[in-house]
């Protein structure tokens, strides 16, 4: 077996690109997948966390962090081109980068709406666009989008977030059909309440209430969503699926 720093090792491994890999669910995917793939994680603001994750995992496999603002087409183009230069191809894509905002619709500005869609929808579009061409040519590839339970059910005071997450379910299901003849699968996970920085805005009391409203009685862990993502990335006959990872729902 060639050493993990050798070129032979690099080119025999498939490459997994993870947006939102600096923190939360995306970072959990990297931790679970290290050693099985060359991993490229994208960060925007959390360079330190991305680098710390790379250091932590570097003894187990190949992982590198690349700057990318997914809401900018140019930034996505530059990042994907750097990943391709380093690893040669991208076999698997996990789009986990996302933002959330809790606001009454009546107070929601056009700028709030645009920001939400720029990251949560445009970001997924730009990444897919840059990565899918190689996959379609090679007739092989797998993509997973991280949507949300609210993309399916809608959430009060999270209309822009819910709409953005519904949009990528539609995109994923459509691309599953369009890409299937070329052997490229596209699936979506819809997490419920997961214990990451995204839930930091909630008070302890609110989180307790949320946990009590979930049939399994607790928030999910990033690792539990990562397991579902990896399962879908590696499956062979699942495409166009929307997999809830939500402890039974939020009521
Ligand atoms: P998180 O811990 O807040 O992490 C968000 C990630 O998105 C970070 O890595 C962040 O990177 C990245 N990101 C945000 N804006 C970006 C941009 N413009 N360009 C590049 N990267 C950007 O949240 P999380 O819980 O892991 O969320 C991951 C995904 O799961 C999101 O799409 C979220 O909507 C979805 N989700 C989460 C929950 C939950 O309860 N946590 C539930 C359902 C769905 P930097 O820090 O480097 O900027």
């Amino acid at each position: 077996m060639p050493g993990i720093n050798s070129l032979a090792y690099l080119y025999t491994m498939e490459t997994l690109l993870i947006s939102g890999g600096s923190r939360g669910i995306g970072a959990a995917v990297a931790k679970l997948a290290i050693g099985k793939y060359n991993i490229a994680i994208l960060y925007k603001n959390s360079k330190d966390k991305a680098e710390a994750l790379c250091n932590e995992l570097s003894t187990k496999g190949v992982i590198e962090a690349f700057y990318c603002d997914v809401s900018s087409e140019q930034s996505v183009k530059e990042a994907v081109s750097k990943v391709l230069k380093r690893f040669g191809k991208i076999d698997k894509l996990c789009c986990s980068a996302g933002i959330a905002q809790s606001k009454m619709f009546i107070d929601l500005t056009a700028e709030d709406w645009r920001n939400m869609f720029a990251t949560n929808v445009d970001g997924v579009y730009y990444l897919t666009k840059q990565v899918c061409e190689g996959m379609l040519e090679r007739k092989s590839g797998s993509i997973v989008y991280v949507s949300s339970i609210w993309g399916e059910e809608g959430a009060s005071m999270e209309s822009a977030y819910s709409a953005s997450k519904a949009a990528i379910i539609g995109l994923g299901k459509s691309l599953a059909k369009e890409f299937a003849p070329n052997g490229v699968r596209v699936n979506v996970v819809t997490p419920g309440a997961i214990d990451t920085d995204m839930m930091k805005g909630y008070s302890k009391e609110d989180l307790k209430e949320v946990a009590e409203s979930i049939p399994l009685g607790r928030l999910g862990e990033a690792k539990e969503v990562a397991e579902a993502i990896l399962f879908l990335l590696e499956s062979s006959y699942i495409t166009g699926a929307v997999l809830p990872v939500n402890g039974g729902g939020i009521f």
Side-chain angles (χ1 to χ4, degrees):
M1 181 78 178
I4 61 173
N5 290 318
S6 71
L7 273 180
Y9 180 91
L10 207 61
Y11 292 127
T12 50
M13 300 283 278
E14 286 196 328
T15 297
L16 164 61
L17 172 60
I18 309 167
S19 79
S22 54
R23 291 188 287 125
I25 293 168
V29 175
K31 285 181 188 170
L32 216 58
I34 190 70
K36 294 180 87 177
Y37 303 96
N38 300 317
I39 297 178
I41 57 170
L42 303 181
Y43 66 88
K44 184 187 162 208
N45 296 321
S46 306
K47 186 178 186 199
D48 290 355
K49 287 190 176 165
E51 287 178 351
L53 182 67
C54 291
N55 285 338
E56 179 192 331
L57 299 181
S58 62
T59 52
K60 297 181 182 158
V62 176
I63 176 165
E64 263 179 52
F66 299 83
Y67 170 80
C68 179
D69 175 358
V70 298
S71 69
S72 152
E73 185 175 22
Q74 190 53 34
S75 181
V76 172
K77 276 185 181 168
E78 285 168 14
V80 169
S81 132
K82 282 181 193 161
V83 175
L84 288 173
K85 200 170 169 201
R86 173 75 173 108
F87 294 121
K89 61 185 171 58
I90 295 164
D91 304 279
K92 294 188 163 53
L93 169 66
C94 167
C95 294
S96 186
I99 53 170
Q101 183 185 36
S102 185
K103 216 172 187 182
M104 298 282 277
F105 182 73
I106 202 98
D107 298 323
L108 198 72
T109 64
E111 198 187 353
D112 291 331
W113 180 267
R114 239 339 310 132
N115 283 341
M116 186 66 71
F117 272 68
T119 299
N120 290 6
V121 184
D122 298 357
V124 172
Y125 161 75
Y126 295 143
L127 274 166
T128 307
K129 192 89 175 148
Q130 289 306 309
V131 169
C132 75
E133 209 175 312
M135 290 181 172
L136 294 170
E137 272 171 19
R138 290 190 301 277
K139 296 199 179 303
S140 166
S142 179
I143 298 172
V144 172
Y145 296 157
V146 183
S147 173
S148 162
I149 187 172
W150 303 136
E152 293 184 288
E153 298 188 7
S156 172
M157 290 185 64
E158 295 202 52
S159 53
Y161 179 75
S162 301
S164 73
K165 291 299 181 181
I168 62 169
I169 292 175
L171 178 65
K173 285 176 135 182
S174 305
L175 295 183
K177 290 179 177 162
E178 192 169 321
F179 292 174
N182 284 61
V184 177
R185 296 177 303 100
V186 187
N187 291 291
V188 180
V189 292
T190 51
I194 310 301
D195 188 10
T196 68
D197 292 347
M198 197 166 265
M199 300 296 286
K200 264 187 178 166
Y202 290 85
S203 66
K204 265 194 171 167
E205 293 71 37
D206 285 347
L207 286 176
K208 191 167 171 275
E209 211 171 292
V210 172
E212 283 167 1
S213 79
I214 298 170
L216 283 181
R218 63 173 176 85
L219 267 61
E221 291 170 20
K223 180 174 178 275
E224 293 173 305
V225 183
E227 285 165 354
I229 293 171
L230 214 59
F231 164 71
L232 289 172
L233 282 173
E234 295 179 341
S235 63
S236 52
Y237 199 58
I238 303 176
T239 196
V242 180
L243 180 61
V245 190
N246 61 22
I250 306 173
F251 298 94

